[in-house]
Amino acid sequence: MEPLPINNISIKGWKSIKSVQVTLGKINILLGANGSGKSSFLSAFGLFDAASENRKHLQNYIEKNGGANQNFHYGTKTTDKVIIDIKIENQYQFNYVLMAGKDDNIIVKNNPDLKLFPERNNIVRSEVAEYEHLSDLKEKLNQLQTHLIIYHFQDTGDTSPLKRVSGIFQTRYLHPDGDNLAAFLCEIKNNYPKNYDSIITAIQFAFPDFKDFIFQKTGETVRLLWNDNNVEHYDFPLSAFSVGTLRFIALSTLLLQPNPPTFNFTNLKPFFEALLFSSIDTINNTLQNATPSTLSKLKTVLHTFGEPENIDTHKGPSVHLKEIYENQYQKIYHGIPIAENIGLKVIREKCPHFDSWLKKLEEYARSPR
């Protein structure tokens, strides 16, 4: 069964999102600074899933997440309703309106597009109770939820799912948190060598010292190790990768696998500030406490590492900015304006790895669906 594509989603008043409208493709990757709304956007699909079941399921979802006041944008005194509008198959539209109840619960009205039921227009009403009896619409929405996969490679700490030993037979698809990365890559190497080689090449492009993965099998489990071009007879654990490299590996595996999911979201938290070093003049001109001395320090950092993308990933580019500007730099307030002032064209010119990655995504987006 072919999955239904969500062509467009509009969200108003949900968590940190005041209002946003997004046109979607086959694969959608969310990039942004801390607090920019990535997680709030993704959590709207959890809300959508809960609302697609029944009223009780939705109330339980809201209660588990802190109640209406915690989920409405700046609280229920500021935002009196949440509106989520979803367009599917470029023809069907479904609209949820959530209003706060007196006990911090919610009241829901959802409005199916009447075009979906041309022969029954006179009986379709915008009430949850009515929706629960519209089997055709509910089947479409449930089918969509089945095919929607949200990948979140946020956790790269010591207990990260990406670093886990995984069951060797967990290979049907890459799990949303990447906890079967070892088994999934092992399967690709054994059965799809061309795809595996493409993944290795992509990783080497971002991390030239990387050589290959080592699959350490014990019974029905497999652990992922790796080696590099400089040290013989030593296998490194995944914890030896920088945070950015580990996330890049997960993303490369997702995009270059032999049978990628038809529709998914991926949320990444890359070393965003490295891209900002594409124009140190713009960084210095944007921040209020900038001086010729801070510009000189930026030049020193860039000269030390040669290229923006080479800037110390172990320490973190953001740490350099905080040290230079005496903790005045804040990603959520300064990062996005600086990037917008620099412009994507300049960033792509100065950051060839990032540019190559975007080209692969653009090529993938143009491929037949």
Side-chain angles (χ1 to χ4, degrees), residues 66-242:
N69 192 56
Q70 291 292 318
N71 288 281
F72 282 41
H73 185 64
Y74 287 125
T76 53
K77 288 187 177 180
T78 301
T79 302
D80 62 350
K81 59 180 174 291
V82 173
I83 302 174
I84 299 180
D85 189 87
I86 296 172
K87 188 175 184 180
I88 57 178
E89 289 186 307
N90 269 325
Q91 55 181 326
Y92 305 122
Q93 192 161 335
F94 200 79
N95 175 273
Y96 290 101
V97 179
L98 283 66
M99 296 174 289
K102 63 180 181 179
D103 297 321
D104 204 29
N105 60 356
I106 56 170
I107 302 168
V108 183
K109 290 182 179 289
N110 44 348
N111 307 295
D113 190 329
L114 299 187
K115 290 185 296 183
L116 193 60
F117 307 100
E119 75 282 5
R120 292 185 288 172
N121 282 356
N122 60 329
I123 65 167
V124 174
R125 298 189 297 274
S126 59
E127 297 293 339
V128 173
E130 180 68 24
Y131 159 69
E132 290 172 0
H133 296 289
L134 300 179
S135 58
D136 294 342
L137 176 59
K138 191 168 184 179
E139 181 182 351
K140 281 186 175 293
L141 294 175
N142 287 338
Q143 181 190 350
L144 185 150
Q145 287 293 323
T146 300
H147 288 89
L148 177 65
I149 304 175
I150 298 177
Y151 286 93
H152 200 229
F153 301 137
Q154 173 75 12
D155 185 358
T156 53
D158 293 338
T159 59
S160 167
L162 292 169
K163 301 176 182 178
R164 290 177 186 167
V165 172
S166 57
I168 201 165
F169 300 112
Q170 295 180 344
T171 59
R172 189 165 65 88
Y173 66 98
L174 182 63
H175 294 173
D177 61 358
D179 69 348
N180 66 329
L181 180 64
F184 194 70
L185 276 170
C186 186
E187 171 75 6
I188 294 175
K189 182 176 183 178
N190 291 337
N191 296 297
Y192 305 94
K194 289 185 178 180
N195 295 85
Y196 182 79
D197 289 344
S198 295
I199 293 170
I200 297 301
T201 300
I203 297 169
Q204 290 171 339
F205 196 64
F207 181 33
D209 288 338
F210 174 78
K211 185 177 181 181
D212 200 357
F213 289 113
I214 305 297
F215 300 94
Q216 187 181 75
K217 298 179 183 178
T218 305
E220 295 185 353
T221 64
V222 58
R223 180 187 297 275
L224 194 59
L225 306 171
W226 62 280
N227 53 27
D228 70 12
N229 294 311
N230 301 316
V231 180
E232 294 185 5
H233 311 301
Y234 185 80
D235 300 331
F236 294 91
L238 291 187
S239 58
F241 282 126
S242 69

Side-chain angles (χ1 to χ4, degrees), residues 33 272-273 276 329-340:
F272 171 70
E273 283 80 2
L276 303 185
Y329 171 80
Q330 295 186 47
K331 181 181 297 191
I332 186 172
Y333 296 114
H334 303 120
I336 293 177
I338 292 172
E340 290 176 340

Side-chain angles (χ1 to χ4, degrees), residues 269-318:
K269 181 182 172 186
F271 283 116
F272 171 70
E273 283 80 2
L275 304 179
L276 303 185
F277 277 81
S278 299
S279 175
I280 56 177
D281 288 324
T282 303
I283 294 176
N284 209 53
N285 291 337
T286 304
L287 294 170
Q288 293 182 348
N289 60 336
T291 65
S293 175
T294 55
L295 180 60
S296 176
K297 292 177 181 177
L298 289 173
K299 290 180 178 178
T300 299
V301 172
L302 189 57
H303 177 75
T304 300
F305 295 98
E307 301 290 342
E309 292 174 307
N310 294 336
I311 292 175
D312 188 359
T313 56
H314 290 284
K315 182 176 182 179
S318 63

